[in-house]
C-alpha cells in the first residue's frame, strides 16, 4: 500500500479531490488529508470522500508571525503537530494542493527524504504510478482518471495571477530552492499542459530568479529551458533560451542548453528574414553566432565541441536560411591580375592592432627592390574601425537590408584597393569580413588564418569567393577550418596554402647556464589554451625523482576579466603555484623583451597547450638548444595532422607521465642532454628560421 498525504493551506474543489482520491485508490494508494481550514468545512465537505484520515491543521496565529507570508505561516502553525509529523513520516508521496502548502511540503520532505514531494493532483497520480512500476505494483487500470488539462491550466493560471509578489518570493525562497525537493516542486507547473504562455513565462522567470538567489544556477538555466520547451512563439522561446545560455556562459561553463538555443535563435532569424524584417533578423542571427562561438565555449576551456565534431556542430548553421543568405558567394567581376613585371608589386599589409606576426614580413618587403609596401592598421582609423567589427551590419547588408554599409565600406576601402596589386590581410576576423563586402576589382586578396579565428564566428562572415588565397600556418588548422566552413568548398572557394610564420631564430642559440639542464621552460602562460597546469604536473612528476628540477614561466598572467572561465582557471593555477614558488621550484619571470636571454637558463622547452597553430615559443626554445617536449595537443590529437606532424614525432608526449619519462631518459647524462639539444636546435633553424621560410613568401607574393 502506498501512503499519500495531501496538504492544503485552504479549501479545495470537492469534486476534483473526490475524483483524484478514487483514482489513487484504484492505483493502490491510501490518501490522508490535512488542511489549515475551519474544522466545520472538513466535517461537512469531506465526509463523502474516501480519505483514510483527515486532520485540521492549526489556524492559530501568534503576533510575531502575522507579517510572514501565508505559506510560511501554515508551516509555523503546524510544524509540531503530532498527527502531521506521524503521517508525513510514513508517507510515500507528499502533495501540496495549493501555493499555501508548498513551503510545508518542502519542510516535511527535508525530514522524510525517501518520500516523493509534488505540487498538484496530476503529479501526485503520476508519482504513485511511478512507484507502482518501480516496485512491481498494480498495473495502471484502464480509464484511469487524470484531471483535464483545462482544469490544471485554469487552477494554476488563477494561482499565478493572484499570487502576490511577497508570497511568490517566499515560495521560491533560497532555503526551498537550495534543496532538490524544492526545485522539483517548481518544475512541475512549468511542465503543466495548457498553461497560457504569459503565465508560464512569468513563472519560469520567477523560478530562474529564485534558483539563482539560492545558488542553484544550473537549475535556474534549466527552468528557463524547460519553460521555453513549452512555448510555441519562436521569439519568446529564443529569448528564454538566450537568457539561459547567457547565464551559464557568465558563470564560465559550457552551456548545457546551447543546441536548443541555437535552433531557436536561427529559426527566429529565418522567420524574420522571410518577413523582410532584416534588422531584427540580423540581430537574431548575430546573437546565434555570438553565443554559438563564444570564447567561454571554445577558447577559454580545455575542450571544444568544434573539434569533437566540426561538421555536426556547424550543421545547424548550414541549415538556416538566413545563414545561407549571409554565406552565399557573390563572386567578383574580374579575376585578380598577375603580379606586374614592369614595376614593383604594390603590397598592402592589413591588420587590426595585432601585428605580432608581421614584423619580419614588412621589413623584408620594405627593403625588397621588387615590392612597394603600405601598412594599414584599421584600428588606427576611426572610420574603418567602426565598421570593421560591425557584424550585425555585415549580416544586414548581405540580407539586403543595409546598403549604406556596403557604400561606406566601398568609399573607405576603394582607394586602398585601387592602389594595391595584392592585399595581405592578417587574421581572418572582422576586418577580413569587412574587406570582402567590397568587390576588389582585379586586386589579389590574401587572408591569413592562424588558429584562434577557427573558433570564432568571423570566418562565416567572410565572402571567400572574393578571396584568392587563404593562408594557414599549419596543416592541422587548415583541415579543421575546411571541415567547419562550407564556403571553403566548391568552385568559388579560394586556394589554400600553408606558410610557416616569419620567425627570426638565428639569435637564439646561446651558451646555457649550469642550471639549465634541470630547468623546464614554458613561454606564454596568459591564456587558458596554454594549460600551464599540465606543465606543473610534469614538474611534480620529475621532482618525485629529482628535486633539482624547476620550472620557469615566461610571459604575462591570464587576465581574469576576459571571462569567468579564465578567472576560474587562473584561481586554480595560483593555488597550485603558490607552494611551488615558495619552495623555489617555480620561477615566474613575467613579460620580457629578451626571450633569447631568458632561455639560456632553460634546458627543456615545454608546449603544454591544448591547441596551437605552431607555438612560436617552442620553436624559439628549440632553436636556443632547449630539448622540446610537446604535448600532443588534444584539440588535434589522433587526426591526420597534429602536433606529431608539425614536429618530429619523438618530441611529442601524450601525457604528463610520458613527458616526464622523455625528460628523465634524455637527461640521464649531460652528454645525452647536450646531444638532444643540439639536434633540436639544428632542426628548428633549418626548418622554421626566416632565412629558410622567406623564399616561400617570395614565391607566394611575386611568383
Amino acid at each position: 500500500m502506498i501512503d499519500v498525504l495531501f496538504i492544503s493551506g485552504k479549501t479545495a474543489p470537492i469534486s476534483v479531490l473526490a475524483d483524484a482520491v478514487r483514482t489513487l485508490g484504484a492505483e493502490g494508494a491510501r490518501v490522508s488529508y490535512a488542511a489549515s481550514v475551519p474544522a466545520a468545512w472538513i466535517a461537512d465537505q469531506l465526509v463523502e470522500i474516501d480519505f483514510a484520515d483527515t486532520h485540521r491543521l492549526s489556524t492559530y496565529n501568534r503576533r510575531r508571525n502575522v507579517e510572514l507570508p501565508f505559506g510560511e505561516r501554515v508551516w509555523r502553525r503546524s510544524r509540531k503537530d503530532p498527527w502531521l509529523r506521524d503521517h508525513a513520516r510514513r508517507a510515500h508521496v507528499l502533495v501540496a494542493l495549493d501555493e499555501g502548502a508548498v513551503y510545508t511540503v518542502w519542510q516535511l520532505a527535508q525530514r522524510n527524504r525517501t518520500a516523493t514531494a509534488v505540487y498538484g493532483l496530476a503529479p501526485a497520480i503520476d508519482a504513485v504510478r511511478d512507484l507502482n512500476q518501480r516496485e512491481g505494483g498494480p498495473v495502471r487500470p484502464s480509464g484511469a482518471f487524470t484531471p483535464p488539462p483545462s482544469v490544471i491550466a485554469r487552477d494554476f493560471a488563477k494561482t499565478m495571477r493572484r499570487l502576490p509578489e511577497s508570497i511568490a518570493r517566499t515560495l521560491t525562497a533560497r532555503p526551498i530552492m537550495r534543496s532538490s525537493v524544492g526545485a522539483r516542486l517548481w518544475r512541475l507547473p512549468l511542465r503543466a499542459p495548457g498553461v497560457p504562455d504569459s503565465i508560464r513565462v512569468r513563472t519560469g522567470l520567477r523560478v530562474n530568479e529564485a534558483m539563482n538567489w539560492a545558488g542553484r544556477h544550473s537549475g535556474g538555466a534549466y527552468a528557463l529551458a524547460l519553460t521555453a520547451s513549452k512555448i510555441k512563439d519562436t521569439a519568446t522561446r529564443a529569448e528564454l533560451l538566450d537568457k539561459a545560455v547567457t547565464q551559464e556562459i557568465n558563470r564560465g561553463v559550457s552551456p548545457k542548453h546551447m543546441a536548443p538555443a541555437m535552433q531557436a535563435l536561427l529559426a527566429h532569424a529565418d522567420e524574420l528574414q522571410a518577413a523582410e524584417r532584416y534588422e531584427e533578423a540580423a540581430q537574431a542571427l548575430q546573437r546565434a553566432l555570438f553565443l554559438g562561438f563564444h570564447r567561454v565555449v571554445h577558447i577559454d576551456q580545455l575542450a571544444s565541441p568544434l573539434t569533437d565534431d566540426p561538421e555536426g556542430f556547424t550543421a545547424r548553421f548550414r541549415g538556416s536560411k538566413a545563414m545561407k543568405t549571409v554565406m552565399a558567394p557573390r563572386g567578383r567581376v574580374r579575376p585578380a591580375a598577375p603580379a606586374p613585371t614592369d614595376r614593383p608589386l604594390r603590397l598592402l599589409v592589413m591588420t587590426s592592432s595585432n601585428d605580432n606576426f608581421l614584423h619580419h614580413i614588412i621589413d623584408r618587403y620594405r627593403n625588397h627592390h621588387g615590392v612597394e609596401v603600405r601598412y594599414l592598421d584599421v584600428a588606427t582609423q576611426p572610420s574603418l574601425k567602426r565598421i570593421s567589427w560591425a557584424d550585425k551590419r555585415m549580416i544586414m547588408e548581405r540580407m539586403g537590408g543595409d546598403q549604406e554599409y556596403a557604400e561606406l565600406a566601398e568609399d573607405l576601402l576603394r582607394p586602398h584597393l585601387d592602389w594595391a596589386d595584392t592585399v595581405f590581410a592578417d587574421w581572418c576576423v572582422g576586418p577580413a569580413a569587412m574587406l570582402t563586402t567590397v568587390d576588389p576589382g582585379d586586386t589579389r586578396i590574401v587572408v591569413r588564418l592562424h588558429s584562434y579565428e577557427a573558433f570564432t564566428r568571423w570566418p562565416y562572415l567572410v565572402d571567400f569567393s572574393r578571396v584568392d588565397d587563404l593562408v594557414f600556418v599549419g596543416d592541422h588548422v587548415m583541415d579543421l577550418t575546411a571541415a567547419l566552413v562550407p564556403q571553403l568548398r566548391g568552385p568559388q572557394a579560394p586556394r589554400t596554402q600553408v606558410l610557416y610564420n616569419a620567425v627570426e631564430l638565428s639569435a637564439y642559440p646561446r651558451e646555457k647556464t649550469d642550471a639549465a639542464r634541470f630547468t623546464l621552460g614554458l613561454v606564454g602562460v596568459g591564456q587558458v589554451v596554454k594549460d600551464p597546469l599540465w606543465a606543473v604536473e610534469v614538474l611534480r612528476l620529475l621532482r618525485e625523482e629529482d628535486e633539482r628540477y624547476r620550472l620557469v614561466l615566461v610571459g604575462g598572467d591570464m587576465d581574469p576579466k576576459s571571462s569567468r572561465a579564465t578567472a576560474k582557471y587562473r584561481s586554480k593555477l595560483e593555488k597550485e603555484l603558490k607552494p611551488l614558488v615558495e619552495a623555489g621550484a617555480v620561477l615566474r619571470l613575467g613579460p620580457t623583451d629578451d626571450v633569447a636571454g631568458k632561455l639560456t637558463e632553460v634546458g627543456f622547452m615545454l608546449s603544454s597547450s591544448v591547441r596551437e597553430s605552431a607555438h612560436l615559443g617552442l620553436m624559439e626554445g628549440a632553436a636556443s638548444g632547449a630539448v622540446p617536449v610537446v604535448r600532443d595537443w588534444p584539440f588535434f590529437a589522433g587526426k591526420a595532422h597534429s602536433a606529431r606532424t608539425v614536429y618530429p614525432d619523438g618530441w611529442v608526449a601524450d601525457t604528463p607521465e610520458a613527458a616526464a619519462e622523455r625528460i628523465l631518459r634524455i637527461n640521464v647524462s649531460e652528454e645525452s642532454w647536450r646531444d638532444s639539444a643540439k639536434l633540436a636546435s639544428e632542426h628548428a633553424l633549418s626548418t622554421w628560421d626566416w632565412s629558410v621560410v622567406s623564399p616561400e613568401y617570395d614565391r607566394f607574393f611575386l611568383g
Side-chain angles (χ1 to χ4, degrees), residues 376-403:
L376 174 62
D377 183 350
V378 300
T380 65
Q381 299 194 15
S383 55
L384 277 172
K385 182 179 180 180
R386 276 194 297 271
I387 66 170
S388 61
W389 302 93
D391 51 345
K392 178 182 172 182
R393 294 197 66 182
M394 295 176 193
I395 294 170
M396 284 180 62
E397 186 272 329
R398 298 196 187 166
M399 288 180 175
D402 191 353
Q403 187 58 35

Side-chain angles (χ1 to χ4, degrees), residues 234 264-274 280-282 284-285 320 322 399:
T234 306
L265 285 164
L266 291 169
H268 188 40
D270 291 348
E271 286 183 0
L272 292 167
Q273 180 186 239
E280 295 167 89
L285 183 54
S320 162
M399 288 180 175

Side-chain angles (χ1 to χ4, degrees), residues 541-570:
L541 293 168
L542 289 171
R543 286 177 63 83
E544 288 178 357
E545 302 293 328
D546 190 330
E547 290 192 352
R548 286 179 292 177
Y549 282 100
R550 64 175 188 157
L551 173 64
V552 172
L553 302 177
V554 181
D557 293 328
M558 297 177 194
D559 181 3
K561 295 180 181 178
S562 61
S563 76
R564 183 74 178 275
T566 299
K568 286 182 177 180
Y569 186 98
R570 177 172 173 176

Side-chain angles (χ1 to χ4, degrees), residues 547-624:
E547 290 192 352
R548 286 179 292 177
Y549 282 100
R550 64 175 188 157
L551 173 64
V552 172
L553 302 177
V554 181
D557 293 328
M558 297 177 194
D559 181 3
K561 295 180 181 178
S562 61
S563 76
R564 183 74 178 275
T566 299
K568 286 182 177 180
Y569 186 98
R570 177 172 173 176
S571 177
K572 184 177 180 181
L573 176 64
E574 294 296 335
K575 183 178 179 180
E576 293 291 326
L577 287 179
K578 183 177 180 181
L580 294 169
V581 171
E582 292 174 350
V586 172
L587 179 62
R588 306 174 75 168
L589 298 184
T592 179
D593 293 329
D594 183 21
V595 175
K598 300 300 182 184
L599 290 179
T600 60
E601 304 173 19
V602 174
F604 289 89
M605 197 69 194
L606 300 182
S607 174
S608 58
S609 306
V610 292
R611 66 165 172 84
E612 288 284 357
S613 56
H615 202 170
L616 174 61
L618 185 95
M619 293 177 175
E620 294 170 341
S624 78

Side-chain angles (χ1 to χ4, degrees), residues 267-317:
H268 188 40
D270 291 348
E271 286 183 0
L272 292 167
Q273 180 186 239
E276 298 184 358
R277 295 162 61 182
Y278 297 121
E279 183 172 2
E280 295 167 89
Q283 178 67 37
L285 183 54
Q286 187 269 349
R287 192 63 185 165
L289 287 165
F290 175 77
L291 292 178
F293 294 92
H294 199 283
R295 64 174 298 138
V296 166
V297 182
H298 306 291
I299 294 172
D300 296 339
Q301 302 285 355
L302 300 180
S304 166
L306 281 181
T307 56
D308 295 338
D309 182 13
E311 294 193 12
F313 186 87
T314 57
R316 58 181 67 95
F317 291 99

